[in-house]
């Protein structure tokens, strides 16, 4: 606010420390009371104040009713030390501290003058109710003298009330008087008040005490001090370092001026301020030339106190007209006389050459506005006394959890985004969202649960001991007619494509010398290429990407039954979750090589065999044999096929070394892994292509594949991992599901 005079306003915080009082009614020093507001002491609230006229949401801190307590005191001290105040003074701080808890007093307890257009009618209407008037701002009544506001405006009237109070207590007799020798001394008037009231200070007349003599006026702040000439009127231009005459009893007079007899006789047109030495004139309207104790013609030895002649007073008065509203604010120093040697003046800021000149005098310091915090080690030897109470926390800083759940949790949330209106219907439904009329209701799983345990189910904890893996487990409970899968592509018969592919193949063959690196496989002996259908032979990249997340499998909760929302309600609540559209039913998935495959993938492999082997059946038999042998090898068998061997081992745990100490540890979600490749029954050589057909042609009644298909999803053989030139199935230890897989599976 550019009001350095408010530097001590933070001392108002000390009010809260005055706990010897039950209640304090605080008034600013610029408040004049029209009547004694005693009733304020009866306010029960801890803190009351009246609205501020500048911003009525705020309260003005010139009139406050408060209950002292150390908790508020310490809290506000902490804020003050951290510089928390939006106006840099107490009003900003107190408004932040009592923001939500102050009790509003009537404006009649803190009427602040205003020029607002509504103010005058309101003033006229309410003036009889005014309890106290507060002269906010720098226009204090005492800054202007008693003759300044003598009109009839509200402000004039209020200023008049102030002067009435002043005169009752502080007005001095107009005529100089000798110190009373009578038995009843007149009540002394503390002159310090007059000193700060413009036009009221008359030092020399009341106390006829020679300079340098001790004073004996008990009421005077100068009591017992050596009498010193008082400082100039406070409204006199002062140097910045003199602007807070806080220690007026230690006031050091300015250096004595040179004897300046010529000063009062400037009739020669000489500049007034020639040979200017700081002069301090004590303007006394009542003083009569020649009647003062120190005549200007006979200057006192030291210090010199001179009184102005009438003529000079007028001159001075003219000079003083500009600083009409001067208060204690810093003033610019008197302008330098012209003839004085020019002090060095650096270049103005805009043309400053930093390499040659010092910074311009009017430049601001760098980082001028940086906040400054000064820390000091505490030298306080007293033990810390905690405050009686700390400020209560703000009342609205937590989230109130609704006591009642929302009326209908299944209710669709309110639409927020525009596209929600055309939202496609979700096809994957979770247990507790299931709607009876859901078109994607879970297919019944009764049948295949009663038959063999599927590999998937074997991971469900309940059936963690896999049954004898005797048969290929190509469950296909979903009534998907396998024959409906297309085996050709629409573009297979487009001759242009055929020619194009041929050309590419020739080109590649020429380049890669049949290495097959990235190219299409050469069809060597034993292969019959049926046209140039590139799609007959999908490469890894060409194959449609597999859905990677099978539908969630049902598993028993680790905690024994799930809570609501988990969809794991325990044993009785059977039923599979419906799968999303386009994703095969969960029982159709098989895990091979740690990846999940669908029957369609298997079929794709099988189709390849049928297409590219001259004798697919023989090839299938060969593969089956290889796999059997591989399995037997793995089981430690001799390689002979036999039912006695099959099934002795159900668990397949990779022979990987586990970290030390974890050998026996099992995760609660651990599920023994069952190898996907189970022992296929040897295909009878004469069964021929009918066996193959039996795989491919589903039972038309049930939609299921034949109960005992020959071929497992034999991904050990040519298939998804097929590479050209590879016709021997290599056994691969299936890896345990990775953590990521488990995460997916457990969700
Ligand atoms: O050197 C000083 C200056 C101020 N005060 C006290 O502090 C009060 C506030 O100063 P004042 O000049 O009255 O301020 P206002 O012009 O009234 O300014 C407003 O802003 C101030 C700072 O926030 C608040 O203290 C006031 O209540 C509010 O009315 C004064 O009344 C005095 O009681 C001193 O004691 N010594
Ligand atoms: Mn004030």
């Amino acid at each position: 606010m550019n009001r350095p005079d408010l530097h001590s306003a933070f001392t108002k915080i000390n009010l809260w420390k005055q706990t010897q009082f039950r209640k304090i009614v605080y008034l600013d020093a610029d408040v004049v009371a029209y009547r004694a507001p005693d009733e304020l002491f009866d306010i029960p609230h801890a803190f009351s104040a009246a609205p501020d006229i500048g911003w009525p949401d705020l309260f003005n801190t010139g009139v406050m009713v408060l209950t002292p307590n150390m908790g508020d005191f310490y809290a506000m001290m902490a804020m003050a030390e951290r510089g928390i105040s939006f106006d840099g003074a107490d009003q900003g701080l107190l408004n932040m501290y009592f923001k939500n808890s102050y009790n509003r007093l009537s404006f009649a307890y803190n009427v602040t003058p205003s020029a607002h257009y509504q103010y005058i009618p309101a003033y006229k209407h309410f003036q009889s109710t005014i309890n106290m008037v507060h002269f906010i701002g720098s226009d204090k009544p005492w800054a202007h003298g008693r003759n300044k506001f003598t009109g009839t405006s509200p402000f004039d009237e209020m200023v008049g009330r102030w002067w009435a109070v002043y005169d009752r207590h502080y007005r001095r007799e107009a005529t100089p008087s000798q110190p009373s020798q009578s038995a009843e001394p007149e009540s002394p008037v503390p002159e310090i008040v007059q000193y700060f009231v413009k036009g009221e200070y008359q030092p020399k007349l009341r106390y006829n005490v020679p300079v340098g003599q001790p004073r004996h006026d008990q009421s005077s702040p100068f009591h017992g001090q050596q009498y010193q000439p008082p400082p100039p009127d406070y409204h006199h231009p002062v140097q910045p370092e003199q602007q807070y005459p806080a220690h007026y009893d230690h006031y050091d007079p300015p250096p004595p001026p040179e004897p300046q007899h010529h000063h009062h006789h400037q009739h020669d047109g000489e500049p007034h301020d020639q040979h200017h030495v700081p002069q301090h004139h004590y303007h006394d309207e009542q003083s009569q030339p020649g009647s003062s104790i120190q005549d200007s013609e006979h200057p006192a030895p030291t210090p010199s106190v001179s009184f102005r002649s009438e003529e000079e007073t007028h001159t001075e008065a003219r000079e003083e007209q500009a600083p009409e509203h001067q208060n204690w604010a810093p003033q610019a120093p008197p302008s330098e006389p012209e003839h004085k040697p020019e002090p060095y003046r650096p270049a103005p800021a805009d043309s400053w050459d930093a390499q040659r000149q010092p910074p311009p005098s009017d430049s601001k310091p760098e980082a001028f506005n940086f906040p400054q915090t000064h820390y000091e080690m505490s030298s306080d030897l007293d033990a810390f006394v905690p405050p009686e109470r700390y400020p209560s926390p703000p009342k609205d800083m937590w989230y109130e959890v609704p006591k009642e759940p929302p009326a209908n949790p299944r209710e669709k949330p309110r639409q927020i985004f525009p596209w929600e209106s055309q939202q496609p219907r979700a096809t994957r439904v979770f247990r507790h969202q299931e709607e009876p009329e859901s078109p994607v209701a879970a297919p019944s799983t009764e049948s295949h649960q009663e038959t063999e345990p599927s590999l998937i189910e074997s991971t469900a904890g309940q059936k963690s001991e896999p049954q004898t893996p005797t048969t290929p487990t190509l469950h296909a409970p979903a009534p998907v007619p396998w024959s409906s899968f297309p085996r050709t592509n629409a573009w297979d018969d487009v001759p242009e494509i055929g020619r194009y592919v041929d050309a590419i193949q020739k080109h590649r063959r020429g380049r890669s010398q049949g290495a097959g690196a990235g190219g299409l496989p050469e069809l060597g002996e034993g292969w019959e290429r049926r046209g140039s259908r590139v799609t007959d032979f999908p490469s890894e990249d060409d194959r449609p990407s597999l859905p990677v997340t099978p539908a969630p499998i049902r598993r028993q909760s680790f905690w024994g039954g799930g809570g609501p929302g988990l969809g794991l309600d325990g044993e009785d609540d059977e039923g599979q979750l419906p799968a999303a559209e386009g994703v095969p039913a969960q029982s159709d998935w098989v895990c091979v090589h740690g990846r999940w495959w669908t029957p369609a993938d298997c079929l794709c492999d099988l189709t390849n065999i049928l297409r590219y082997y001259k004798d697919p059946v023989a090839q299938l038999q060969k593969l089956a044999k290889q796999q059997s042998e591989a399995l037997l090898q793995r089981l430690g068998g001799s390689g002979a096929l036999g039912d006695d061997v099959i099934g002795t081992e159900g668990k397949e745990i990779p022979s990987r070394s586990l970290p030390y100490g974890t050998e026996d540890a099992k995760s609660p979600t651990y599920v023994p892994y069952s190898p996907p490749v189970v022992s296929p029954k040897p295909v009878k050589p004469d069964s021929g292509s009918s066996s193959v057909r039996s795989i491919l042609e589903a039972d038309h009644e049930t939609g299921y594949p034949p109960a005992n298909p020959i071929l497992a999803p034999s991904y050990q053989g040519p298939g998804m991992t097929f590479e050209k030139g590879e016709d021997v199935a290599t056994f691969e230890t299936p890896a345990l599901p990775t953590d990521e897989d488990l995460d997916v599976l457990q969700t």
Side-chain angles (χ1 to χ4, degrees):
M1 290 188 291
N2 199 22
R3 285 194 49 193
D5 55 299
L6 293 174
H7 75 295
S8 46
F10 275 124
T11 57
K12 289 186 193 179
I13 295 171
N14 286 317
L15 292 167
W16 276 265
K17 210 168 57 171
Q18 316 300 313
T19 51
Q20 69 270 33
F21 301 113
R22 176 184 59 85
K23 191 74 91 178
I24 291 179
V25 176
Y26 166 84
L27 309 181
D28 257 11
D30 53 349
V31 168
V32 60
Y34 286 16
R35 53 171 286 274
D38 289 340
E39 68 278 10
L40 293 179
F41 286 102
D42 300 328
I43 293 179
H45 302 82
F47 179 80
S48 309
D52 186 80
I53 198 167
W55 195 267
D57 285 347
L58 302 177
F59 53 80
N60 184 279
T61 52
V63 173
M64 299 185 285
V65 184
L66 58 108
T67 306
N69 73 88
M70 295 306 287
D72 288 339
F73 170 74
Y74 282 118
M76 282 187 279
M77 283 295 285
M79 287 172 74
E81 278 162 13
R82 287 167 57 200
I84 297 176
S85 165
F86 61 77
D87 68 352
D90 66 281
Q91 185 158 313
L93 185 147
L94 286 161
N95 267 281
M96 291 167 89
Y97 186 69
F98 289 109
K99 183 181 177 192
N100 298 316
S101 61
Y102 91 97
N103 169 51
R104 190 178 74 80
L105 289 182
S106 162
F107 188 64
Y109 285 103
N110 191 350
V111 176
T112 46
S114 160
H116 195 271
Y117 76 102
Q118 279 184 343
Y119 186 82
I120 293 174
Y123 175 84
K124 296 287 180 210
H125 186 75
F126 291 111
Q127 61 175 328
S128 64
T129 69
I130 292 177
N131 300 301
M132 290 181 281
V133 162
H134 181 189
F135 295 95
I136 56 169
S138 49
D139 268 355
K140 309 297 189 198
W142 56 86
H144 297 284
R146 61 174 68 242
N147 298 320
K148 179 78 186 279
F149 300 104
T150 53
T152 56
S153 74
F155 187 69
D156 292 333
E157 283 181 17
M158 287 186 272
V159 171
R161 294 295 292 260
W162 187 90
W163 278 105
V165 174
Y166 172 84
D167 285 346
R168 186 138 44 94
H169 295 284
Y170 299 109
R171 184 158 197 180
R172 190 178 62 84
E173 292 304 318
T175 50
S177 64
Q178 295 295 317
S180 172
Q181 302 295 325
S182 66
E184 262 196 283
E186 66 182 271
S187 68
V189 175
E191 65 182 338
I192 188 65
V193 174
Q194 300 158 24
Y195 167 65
F196 279 105
V197 180
K198 184 174 181 180
E200 298 298 302
Y201 186 60
Q202 303 173 21
K204 67 187 187 301
L205 301 174
R206 179 165 182 80
Y207 302 106
N208 194 7
V209 181
V211 168
Q213 295 293 310
R215 302 185 53 172
H216 300 285
D217 177 5
Q218 299 287 332
S219 71
S220 167
F222 305 136
H223 170 69
Q225 310 270 329
Q226 282 218 328
Y227 178 76
Q228 302 289 356
D233 275 352
Y234 75 94
H235 59 275
H236 196 93
V238 290
Q239 300 297 321
E241 62 269 19
Q242 294 174 336
Q243 62 183 308
Y244 304 116
H247 306 290
Y248 21 76
D249 48 348
H250 298 126
Y251 178 75
D252 291 324
E258 303 290 322
Q260 296 167 45
H261 301 280
H262 66 280
H263 184 76
H264 299 286
H265 304 282
Q266 304 168 31
H267 306 296
D268 51 2
E270 260 187 88
H272 177 92
D273 280 326
Q274 200 170 20
H275 311 300
H276 179 85
V277 176
Q279 302 268 330
H280 294 264
H281 303 281
Y282 304 112
H283 181 183
D284 188 342
E285 286 160 354
Q286 274 76 35
S287 68
Q288 304 294 322
S291 72
S292 61
I293 52 169
Q294 287 160 350
D295 194 288
S296 60
E297 297 295 327
H298 306 92
T302 299
S304 147
V305 179
S306 62
F307 291 88
R308 277 170 271 180
S309 65
E310 213 161 18
E311 173 200 330
E312 188 186 338
T313 301
H314 292 144
T315 311
E316 186 89 0
R318 281 194 299 277
E319 287 167 356
E320 282 188 354
Q321 270 179 359
E324 191 71 74
H325 298 275
Q326 279 163 6
N327 200 341
W328 304 327
Q331 303 295 326
S335 57
E336 297 286 337
E338 277 178 12
H339 65 275
K340 273 205 157 184
E342 269 287 299
Y344 176 71
R345 292 197 191 282
D350 53 359
S351 61
W352 175 41
D353 181 353
Q355 288 187 314
R356 294 163 204 279
Q357 298 161 308
S361 60
D362 56 345
S363 64
K364 287 200 173 127
E366 287 178 51
F368 183 60
N369 291 326
F370 271 21
Q372 284 191 356
T373 311
H374 182 74
Y375 298 97
E376 271 179 351
M377 290 296 289
S378 170
S379 54
D380 188 1
L381 299 177
D382 296 336
F384 171 71
V385 180
E388 274 174 28
R389 78 176 176 89
Y390 287 95
S392 328
K395 302 228 162 34
D396 52 355
M397 278 192 66
W398 60 82
Y399 169 70
E400 187 91 34
V401 181
K403 301 214 167 41
E404 297 287 319
N408 183 2
R410 295 189 188 198
E411 205 169 87
K412 219 181 155 196
R414 185 173 61 85
Q415 176 184 333
I416 298 173
F417 301 105
W419 57 83
E420 287 181 81
S421 55
Q422 310 121 25
Q423 214 178 7
R425 186 185 177 85
T427 57
R428 186 161 176 173
V429 181
F430 293 92
R431 180 169 303 246
H432 285 277
Q433 299 173 346
E434 264 177 58
E435 294 161 42
E437 73 275 17
S438 171
V440 285
S444 165
T445 54
E446 284 301 312
S447 55
H448 82 268
Q449 280 189 354
E450 281 165 5
T451 57
E452 310 147 34
S454 82
L455 291 166
I456 306 267
E457 280 170 346
S458 72
T459 64
Q462 265 294 53
K463 304 170 181 172
S464 61
E465 284 295 317
Q467 310 279 320
T468 310
T470 49
T471 26
T473 54
L474 235 185
H475 305 292
V480 180
W482 284 30
S483 52
S484 71
F485 284 100
R487 297 176 208 176
T488 57
N489 284 312
W491 54 85
D492 278 353
D493 300 318
V494 177
E496 288 83 356
I497 294 179
R499 282 198 295 276
Y500 174 73
V501 172
D502 278 343
I504 287 183
Q505 284 180 337
K506 262 181 228 151
H507 176 70
R508 291 224 175 139
R509 239 174 266 139
R511 265 202 338 188
S512 62
Q513 280 303 314
L520 293 166
E522 278 182 311
L523 302 177
E525 236 189 331
W527 293 84
E528 182 188 34
R529 192 167 146 255
R530 299 180 185 172
S532 53
R533 297 174 183 177
V534 65
T535 50
D536 285 349
F537 223 91
S539 71
E540 180 100 10
D541 292 337
D542 293 335
R543 281 196 295 266
S545 62
L546 295 170
V548 291
T549 312
I553 53 169
R554 185 172 170 277
R555 75 172 58 237
Q556 197 182 18
S557 165
F558 176 64
W559 292 275
L566 294 176
L568 301 167
D569 277 345
E571 282 307 293
D572 314 331
D573 196 3
E574 293 293 333
Q576 298 277 334
L577 301 180
E581 266 172 22
V583 179
Q586 69 177 47
S587 52
D588 290 347
W589 290 82
V590 288
C591 183
V592 181
H593 297 188
R595 293 177 65 182
W596 292 90
W597 309 88
T598 65
D601 305 325
C602 306
L603 188 69
C604 182
D605 270 17
L606 196 55
T607 311
N608 288 337
I609 291 174
L610 293 176
R611 283 187 179 164
Y612 293 110
Y613 286 93
K614 271 183 176 162
D615 185 355
V617 176
Q619 179 64 18
L620 289 171
Q621 285 174 339
K622 188 177 153 199
L623 287 171
K625 186 156 173 278
Q626 284 167 355
Q627 286 175 13
S628 303
E629 281 167 1
L631 178 65
L632 287 173
Q633 257 181 350
R634 189 151 46 113
L635 300 176
S638 63
L641 276 174
D643 286 343
D644 51 338
V645 178
I646 308 292
T648 51
E649 290 272 274
K651 270 201 266 188
E652 290 299 327
I653 299 175
S655 55
R656 260 189 309 202
S657 63
L658 294 167
Y660 176 78
T662 66
E663 292 89 345
D664 294 328
K666 279 193 177 60
S667 144
T669 53
Y670 168 76
V671 174
Y673 183 81
S674 299
V677 179
V678 294
S679 166
K681 286 204 171 138
V683 179
K684 288 177 195 159
D686 58 343
S687 61
S689 56
S690 61
S691 297
V692 177
R693 216 176 298 117
S694 71
I695 297 170
L696 296 175
E697 287 168 10
D699 182 330
H700 288 294
E701 277 184 14
T702 63
Y704 280 38
N708 205 12
I710 296 173
L711 189 67
S714 62
Y715 298 109
Q716 304 294 346
M720 305 306 280
T721 56
F722 180 85
E723 301 255 339
K724 185 232 148 231
E726 170 199 71
D727 65 352
V728 176
T730 53
F731 177 77
E732 191 178 330
T733 304
L736 280 172
T738 65
D739 286 349
E740 275 178 25
D741 293 338
L742 286 173
D743 285 344
V744 171
L745 291 173
Q746 287 161 17
T747 46

